């Protein structure tokens, strides 16, 4: 299964993400050359307002560097957008 982590919103059940699931040779080469493994997952928020994003390291060796949340309109960029302090 490779290295795994889990994410959830508020009190919902964690969604486990494998960092190497469905990875092909081209993706592996990109992860190695960029020294980063970008993973995408979709979480649903049922109501507007303030919510809590939770992150769990399921396997040892997982290092979290950045979380990017796209609520629509996120422009493509190399290694993600710059840090935002807006809440």
């Amino acid at each position: 299964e490779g290295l795994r982590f889990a994410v959830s919103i508020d009190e919902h059940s964690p969604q486990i993400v494998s960092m190497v699931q469905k990875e092909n040779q081209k993706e592996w080469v990109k992860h190695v050359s960029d020294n980063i493994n970008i993973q995408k997952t979709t979480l649903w928020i049922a109501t507007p307002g303030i919510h809590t994003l939770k992150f769990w390291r399921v396997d040892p060796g997982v290092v979290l560097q950045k979380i990017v949340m796209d609520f629509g309109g996120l422009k493509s960029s190399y290694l993600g957008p710059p840090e935002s302090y807006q809440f």
Side-chain angles (χ1 to χ4, degrees), residues 1-3 7-8 12-13 21-22 27-28 31 35-36 38-39 41 47 49 57-58 60 63 78-79 81 84-85:
E1 293 181 341
L3 296 174
V7 290
S8 71
H12 292 248
S13 299
Q21 186 177 10
K22 302 177 189 170
E27 290 171 329
W28 180 84
H31 292 160
N35 198 28
I36 191 167
I38 297 173
Q39 295 296 315
T41 188
T47 59
R57 183 187 67 174
V58 175
V63 176
Y78 182 68
L79 300 181
S84 169
Y85 294 101

Side-chain angles (χ1 to χ4, degrees), residues 48-78:
I50 296 175
H51 298 277
T52 302
L53 174 69
K54 296 178 183 176
F55 174 87
W56 289 272
R57 183 187 67 174
V58 175
D59 296 313
V62 172
V63 176
L64 175 64
Q65 184 174 2
K66 180 188 254 187
I67 293 176
V68 176
M69 298 178 74
D70 181 5
F71 297 101
L74 181 67
K75 295 178 182 170
S76 179
S77 62
Y78 182 68

